[in-house]
Amino acid sequence: MAKANQPENNQKNGNDKKEKRSGRVLGRVFRFSSRTLFILLLISFFAAAGFGLNVVLSSIKEAPEFDPSRFEQPLTSYIYDYHGNEHVRLHDGHNRIEVPLNEMPLHLQNAFIAIEDERFYDHIGISPKDIARAAYNNFRKQDLTDQGASTITQQLIRNGIISREKTYERKMQEAWLAITMEQQFSKEEILESYLNIIYFDSLNYGVEAAANDYFGKSVGELTIAESALLAGIPRNPSFYSPRRNFEESKRRQELVLSKMAEYGYITPEEADEARREEIQILPPEQKTNFDYNPYFIDYVEQEAYKILSELDIYEDPAIALNRGGLKIYTTLEPEIQEIVENVLNDEKYYPRTVVDENGKLQPQAAAVLAEPETGHIKALVGGRDYGLHNQDLRFLSERQPGSATKPVLAYAPAFEEKILFPGSVLDDAPTVFGSYFPENYGQTFMGLMSARYAVVRSRNVPAVQAYQMVTPKVGMEYAEKMGITTFRPQDEGGLALVLGGFTTGVKPIDMAQVFSVFANKGVKVPLTTILRIEDSQGKEIYSFRPKPEVVLSEVTAFLITDVLRDVTRGVGTASRLSNAVGRPIAGKTGTTSDHKDGWLVSYTPDYVLSTWIGYDLLTMGSIDEATKYCRQMSEVIMKQVHEGMPKRDFESPGGISRVTICSKSGMRPGEYCPDEHITSDLFPSGYEPKETCEVHVTLEVCAESGLLPAEYCPEIEVRHFLQRLVPYIPTDDNWRGPSGRVPGDAGMAPPTETCDIHGERPQAPVGLSLTSSKDGDQVQLRWNFGGPNDSRFNVYRSLDNETFELLNDKPVKSTNYKDNNVNPGTTYYYQVTSINEHGVESNPMQGSITTNEPPPPEPDPEPDPEPDPDPDNGDDNGDDNGDDNGDDNGDDNRNNNSGR
């Protein structure tokens, strides 16, 4: 207790009262200078009141030891940011502002003395007269504990040392301790402590806090009327509170004024004037005990309480936190916290905003930003407009994560256990897992794909396959080690957990913890907001000294990070994030099947950011493209918090190889793997695939139908196919989506059926006739056909009746054909087939012919006779006949044949 300074008495009647009090105090000191005398007096008072000597002595013996330190006023605790700047002052709702007695008006002091303890300056801590009166009244009621006779000193003892239970033992102990207190402290010190500790309702302790809250002024500015009103409250604070019950408070004030006038502290005129004074009570202030960054401070208080509880150096950690004068140094970066708050409070990052029945904005959001390497949480936001609606800490709320936990439960454990790697192939096809029939978003199946691509496109069926391969037990163990704290017994064993089917959900702060393991090379550093705590004497009682835990190997952490980087670019579900942030970043989205929750957890080597968006109540609706809003928030936050920082890439730990593989088998490319299925991916050294792809195969098929060749297929060709090692089954009524769905690459499967369009031969031609030309250089083929008129024919020829060659370039439309490429005197074998519209040929009609030998050459003409020596006779007859009949006729005939 501090020493009090009594103010100079400049009030009416003050000097006379002070002189009387001084005389009484002096006499009291002379009369009661011996402790033994006080004991005797106390025994006498209570014995006279009917308690009995043994009871009195026993109660005094069992009384707690008088300890002045118990009267020390609560000390405000302080919260500092990361840079050591004072950020917030904490108290536990005890709004207390201490002021010395000399700053309290005398009429205020007198008002309390008049109504609470009119003999305050005369008694020794207890009032024998009041005890006797109370004992008499209690005796009449047959209840020794009904009516008390507490002095101001006793009330102070009751508030600081002893319990408030109504027993005669407690009353005797209280009286004994009050007497003891009066021997160690002056009346002024006792009164000052009393006026600074007494309760006035509305969380106000002490007259200064009450004056501030009810009247908006300091205690030194209070009028007599206002002082009397305050003096009337402590007897029953909730009943006489001017806010709760103004009429009763006013009646009580008038009683106080009457007592003040009765005891001469004010005149009757002053009392009447005070009764007529209009009292103005201010409405309660709606504010928090800190002005900004409230979500962060709320969590600091929770974390500090947990730390203090574990330290076990305070009986009540809550009291120590709010009344112990602690200094709490935190990881808070006010500038970063402001960035995150501003983004989450910006309406443009939400779909249409509504106000629910509780006045809260919907939908809501949460964000956690931390340093993976240190575990320091730099920003926490649990909703929109904290100051306006005083909303919950949603970063601690449990919500369904959708696909955001796929890397946590399935892929990272599978990589660590060497079951899968980024290039390993899973089948996104209709698959039955016992009684579970998982669907993909959009109710489609894409077929064989790498684990990397399955994560990037957030495919559900491959994730369930991976989780089954890891086993739920192992997957949950890894997730728990990484930081998931919300598993329930019902979550064990179910494959739907990997798709976000938690019993209660996950916390955004847990998701930040988990992904910080990926960002920090597989090492878990517990997230914290508190760096150290000092007690009121400046002694360090706590320091954040984390014990890093290796959860994943560096290789696994790098592999999963490399996969998650692809989520933020290209065809990933958060594809714009990488370009927007402008530095290496990884992440994973999550959306529940009913679109109630959206997630994006992203990280760089410097920061991890967990964001969530959704409605407080699941019945309020859904959010289309929920992850889009998380991505937009994350883009702005991550870009701004990294400004001015050097770009850091995720460092490869070594022991990793990049291998060219087939994307449909995960093996080395084979000779039949098409270019579009050849890629490269990462594998731990020693685990590179060595086998060659066996899923890409070749097969002979009918060129027209693409099916296995039938007996009569006219054209066979070799094609490339994708041969699944494990067959799929089309969907049926067990799936939520339509029946009959197959994976997207089902069309690449080899045929299993035989061609059904080339199954029968058409009707064959009949009646083949073969005719050789006179000179043997041409063969004329003629046949009959009773089939369709639009049928076509093929003509074949052979010299040995074994190997036939097709003569016609195009199918023959008529039933005759002339072969002009033959030799005279040669035997030829012919076949004629009919062809239907599908190109199927009939059985051949056969025939053979030996071409004619050419006719023998004509003999040479005989020479002309010698000329007649008599020119007249010979020339006239011979020349005229020869020329006219031979030459002329011959020339005329040759021309006509040529012309025909």
Side-chain angles (χ1 to χ4, degrees):
M1 292 176 58
K3 297 292 183 179
N5 295 315
Q6 179 70 15
E8 295 182 6
N9 193 347
N10 54 5
Q11 213 164 346
K12 184 184 290 186
N13 300 327
N15 292 329
D16 292 341
K17 300 294 180 183
K18 186 174 183 179
E19 290 176 1
K20 293 179 181 179
R21 286 198 299 272
S22 298
R24 287 196 291 267
V25 170
L26 183 61
R28 179 171 57 85
V29 172
F30 282 114
R31 288 195 300 272
F32 305 111
S33 58
S34 169
R35 184 176 182 86
T36 301
L37 181 59
F38 290 127
I39 294 174
L40 293 175
L41 287 173
L42 183 63
I43 291 173
S44 300
F45 290 148
F46 281 98
F51 287 103
L53 180 61
N54 290 335
V55 173
V56 174
L57 291 175
S58 176
S59 297
I60 293 175
K61 183 178 181 181
E62 295 176 2
E65 184 178 352
F66 179 74
D67 182 4
S69 66
R70 299 282 293 272
F71 295 96
E72 293 179 359
Q73 301 302 307
L75 298 174
T76 297
S77 293
Y78 299 86
I79 293 179
Y80 301 89
D81 65 21
Y82 182 73
H83 305 289
N85 301 315
E86 181 186 319
H87 196 67
V88 169
R89 298 183 180 187
L90 294 181
H91 57 73
D92 61 355
H94 289 62
N95 182 23
R96 189 192 315 280
I97 307 173
E98 287 195 351
V99 291
L101 191 67
N102 61 9
E103 293 182 11
M104 303 178 193
L106 191 58
H107 58 250
L108 174 82
Q109 301 173 39
N110 293 333
F112 280 89
I113 291 172
I115 194 64
E116 292 292 337
D117 188 2
E118 70 271 18
R119 297 180 180 84
F120 175 69
Y121 284 106
D122 298 325
H123 61 63
I124 59 172
I126 61 175
S127 172
K129 181 178 179 180
D130 291 335
I131 290 176
R133 185 186 71 249
Y136 174 73
N137 292 333
N138 292 343
F139 177 77
R140 291 180 60 189
K141 295 180 180 181
Q142 298 298 308
D143 184 355
L144 297 180
T145 67
D146 180 64
Q147 189 172 14
S150 296
T151 64
I152 284 177
T153 310
Q154 288 174 275
Q155 292 182 50
L156 194 56
I157 291 292
R158 192 182 310 145
N159 277 281
I161 295 180
I162 207 164
S163 68
R164 290 177 173 269
E165 58 182 339
K166 294 180 66 175
T167 64
Y168 54 81
E169 290 90 352
R170 196 275 302 162
K171 290 181 180 291
M172 284 183 281
Q173 292 171 357
E174 178 186 291
W176 165 245
L177 293 172
I179 294 173
T180 303
M181 184 177 191
E182 291 268 353
Q183 303 310 302
Q184 298 187 30
F185 296 97
S186 69
K187 289 290 186 178
E188 289 74 18
E189 290 169 334
I190 293 171
L191 183 60
E192 178 180 297
S193 293
Y194 172 79
L195 293 176
N196 274 308
I197 200 175
I198 202 69
Y199 183 52
F200 290 90
D201 197 44
S202 297
L203 304 179
N204 296 310
Y205 290 81
V207 291
E208 177 69 10
N212 288 182
D213 188 38
Y214 290 127
F215 306 117
K217 59 177 69 175
S218 177
V219 66
E221 303 172 304
L222 295 180
T223 64
I224 292 175
E226 293 166 339
S227 296
L229 186 137
L230 288 186
I233 295 175
R235 176 59 61 89
N236 190 337
S238 60
F239 183 73
Y240 291 120
S241 167
R243 288 202 182 107
R244 299 176 189 265
N245 198 347
F246 183 78
E247 291 184 0
E248 291 300 327
S249 180
K250 190 71 173 68
R251 291 193 187 96
R252 179 75 173 168
Q253 177 224 33
E254 293 176 357
L255 175 61
V256 174
L257 292 172
S258 296
K259 289 287 187 181
M260 292 179 71
E262 177 184 346
Y263 298 130
Y265 293 120
I266 58 174
T267 65
E269 292 77 17
E270 288 175 319
D272 290 339
E273 182 180 353
R275 290 188 186 96
R276 293 192 297 271
E277 182 179 321
E278 183 178 358
I279 300 293
Q280 296 289 337
I281 302 297
L282 299 178
E285 292 187 9
Q286 300 294 329
K287 63 180 182 180
T288 64
N289 62 344
F290 39 86
D291 296 328
Y292 57 104
N293 305 333
Y295 293 111
F296 195 99
I297 301 305
D298 277 348
Y299 187 72
V300 167
E301 290 189 69
Q302 291 189 22
E303 191 173 5
Y305 179 86
K306 181 180 179 181
I307 291 171
L308 295 176
S309 298
E310 293 173 351
L311 290 175
D312 197 26
I313 57 178
Y314 296 100
E315 288 187 10
D316 190 332
I319 292 177
L321 178 62
N322 293 283
R323 309 175 81 179
L326 303 178
K327 294 180 176 62
I328 304 170
Y329 296 87
T330 74
T331 61
L332 172 64
E333 292 273 10
E335 297 81 6
I336 294 178
Q337 176 75 20
E338 185 176 4
I339 288 172
V340 181
E341 284 188 14
N342 289 342
V343 170
L344 264 67
N345 284 327
D346 194 330
E347 193 168 320
K348 71 182 179 183
Y349 298 118
Y350 297 86
R352 185 177 64 91
T353 297
V354 297
V355 179
D356 66 16
E357 59 184 10
N358 297 316
K360 298 181 180 181
L361 301 179
Q362 300 292 346
Q364 277 294 329
V368 180
L369 184 78
E371 291 178 347
E373 295 175 326
T374 65
H376 296 176
I377 296 176
K378 294 301 181 181
L380 286 170
V381 179
R384 304 164 68 182
D385 299 324
Y386 180 100
L388 179 61
H389 299 298
N390 192 28
Q391 298 174 349
D392 301 327
L393 303 183
R394 291 176 184 81
F395 50 78
L396 298 177
S397 299
E398 297 177 20
R399 301 297 293 248
Q400 296 300 333
S403 298
T405 50
K406 288 176 182 175
V408 183
L409 285 162
Y411 292 106
F415 292 178
E416 183 72 7
E417 295 291 323
K418 305 299 187 292
I419 297 172
L420 293 172
F421 303 108
S424 301
V425 168
L426 299 164
D427 198 358
D428 183 21
T431 309
V432 179
F433 300 89
S435 59
Y436 183 41
F437 304 84
E439 286 274 12
N440 287 306
Y441 178 76
Q443 298 184 342
T444 62
F445 303 92
M446 298 178 68
L448 294 169
M449 62 179 60
S450 67
R452 176 186 296 274
Y453 194 74
V455 175
V456 170
R457 297 303 299 271
S458 199
R459 306 302 290 176
N460 290 342
V461 176
V464 177
Q465 292 173 359
Y467 191 47
Q468 184 184 53
M469 295 166 72
V470 170
T471 74
K473 180 178 182 296
V474 173
M476 290 177 66
E477 287 175 353
Y478 273 101
E480 207 160 31
K481 289 178 183 178
M482 284 187 272
I484 297 295
T485 63
T486 53
F487 287 126
R488 301 292 186 270
Q490 302 94 309
D491 295 329
E492 297 177 4
L495 294 176
L497 187 71
V498 74
L499 305 184
F502 283 65
T503 301
T504 57
V506 298
K507 302 175 183 178
I509 196 168
D510 283 356
M511 294 298 279
Q513 177 71 81
V514 167
F515 279 73
S516 72
V517 175
F518 299 155
N520 195 35
K521 303 177 181 179
V523 178
K524 177 185 176 183
V525 178
L527 299 186
T528 186
T529 58
I530 297 177
L531 296 175
R532 72 179 191 277
I533 301 175
E534 297 176 356
D535 64 16
S536 60
Q537 305 302 313
K539 177 185 176 182
E540 184 179 282
I541 59 175
Y542 170 80
S543 179
F544 177 61
R545 295 184 178 90
K547 297 179 179 179
E549 177 186 1
V550 177
V551 181
L552 303 172
S553 68
E554 286 192 52
V555 169
T556 294
F558 183 81
L559 292 178
I560 197 70
T561 294
D562 194 71
V563 170
L564 295 179
R565 287 187 66 179
D566 284 350
V567 173
T568 70
R569 56 193 178 188
V571 296
T573 52
S575 58
R576 299 181 183 178
L577 184 62
S578 181
N579 286 337
V581 176
R583 63 180 59 226
I585 188 168
K588 184 68 188 77
T589 58
T591 306
T592 52
S593 58
D594 53 8
H595 302 281
K596 302 293 185 182
D597 302 272
W599 294 78
L600 174 56
V601 188
S602 57
Y603 60 93
T604 68
D606 301 294
Y607 290 115
V608 58
L609 173 64
S610 171
T611 57
W612 165 85
I613 185 173
Y615 290 96
D616 282 339
L617 298 177
L618 297 180
T619 56
M620 295 187 66
S622 59
I623 305 174
D624 291 334
E625 299 182 287
T627 57
K628 177 184 74 173
Y629 300 102
C630 288
R631 176 181 54 76
Q632 291 174 346
M633 293 179 187
S634 300
E635 287 174 2
V636 178
I637 293 172
M638 285 299 229
K639 184 175 179 62
Q640 292 188 19
V641 300
H642 283 92
E643 284 183 359
M645 299 178 66
K647 288 185 180 180
R648 294 175 60 195
D649 203 348
F650 298 100
E651 299 178 0
S652 173
I656 295 175
S657 303
R658 179 169 290 278
V659 179
T660 299
I661 59 172
C662 169
S663 65
K664 289 294 184 178
S665 67
M667 301 298 169
R668 301 276 185 169
E671 61 176 318
Y672 304 128
C673 295
D675 291 343
E676 62 268 24
H677 291 167
I678 296 178
T679 184
S680 65
D681 217 321
L682 303 179
F683 292 85
S685 297
Y687 290 89
E688 302 91 341
K690 297 177 175 58
E691 297 83 2
T692 301
C693 173
E694 295 179 350
V695 301
H696 285 102
V697 297
T698 61
L699 197 64
E700 286 187 343
V701 297
C702 170
E704 183 177 353
S705 67
L707 301 177
L708 296 175
E711 181 181 359
Y712 307 123
C713 288
E715 184 179 355
I716 308 299
E717 65 183 18
V718 176
R719 295 183 184 176
H720 293 81
F721 296 96
L722 187 68
Q723 177 71 62
R724 269 185 169 74
L725 300 180
V726 178
Y728 65 87
I729 57 171
T731 59
D732 55 26
D733 293 341
N734 289 303
W735 275 266
R736 291 197 307 272
S739 298
R741 288 170 295 147
V742 298
D745 57 8
M748 301 174 64
T752 58
E753 298 179 353
T754 302
C755 174
D756 57 358
I757 62 177
H758 302 125
E760 295 182 357
R761 290 187 183 277
Q763 180 178 346
V766 296
L768 176 64
S769 68
L770 304 171
T771 304
S772 173
S773 66
K774 179 180 179 181
D775 294 332
D777 59 355
Q778 184 183 85
V779 175
Q780 180 72 46
L781 294 87
R782 289 185 175 88
W783 61 88
N784 297 320
F785 185 68
N789 293 329
D790 59 350
S791 295
R792 301 291 186 266
F793 305 92
N794 281 335
V795 179
Y796 300 88
R797 185 184 67 192
S798 173
L799 289 172
D800 57 6
N801 201 25
E802 291 183 1
T803 304
F804 286 82
E805 63 173 334
L806 180 67
L807 298 181
N808 49 286
D809 294 332
K810 297 179 180 179
V812 178
K813 296 181 180 180
S814 63
T815 57
N816 60 83
Y817 182 81
K818 185 181 292 186
D819 184 5
N820 295 317
N821 189 22
V822 296
N823 295 317
T826 305
T827 300
Y828 292 98
Y829 301 88
Y830 288 92
Q831 289 182 349
V832 179
T833 62
S834 65
I835 310 167
N836 65 15
E837 68 273 20
H838 298 298
V840 179
E841 290 184 285
S842 69
N843 287 322
M845 175 183 61
Q846 300 190 61
S848 65
I849 188 173
T850 300
T851 55
N852 293 327
E853 291 287 348
E858 295 182 2
D860 294 334
E862 295 182 3
D864 290 338
E866 291 292 331
D868 190 347
D870 185 1
D872 292 337
N873 290 331
D875 290 343
D876 290 341
N877 293 329
D879 290 342
D880 290 341
N881 290 334
D883 290 342
D884 290 341
N885 295 327
D887 292 343
D888 290 344
N889 289 337
D891 289 343
D892 290 342
N893 288 336
R894 284 193 295 272
N895 290 335
N896 289 337
N897 290 335
S898 296
R900 285 196 300 270

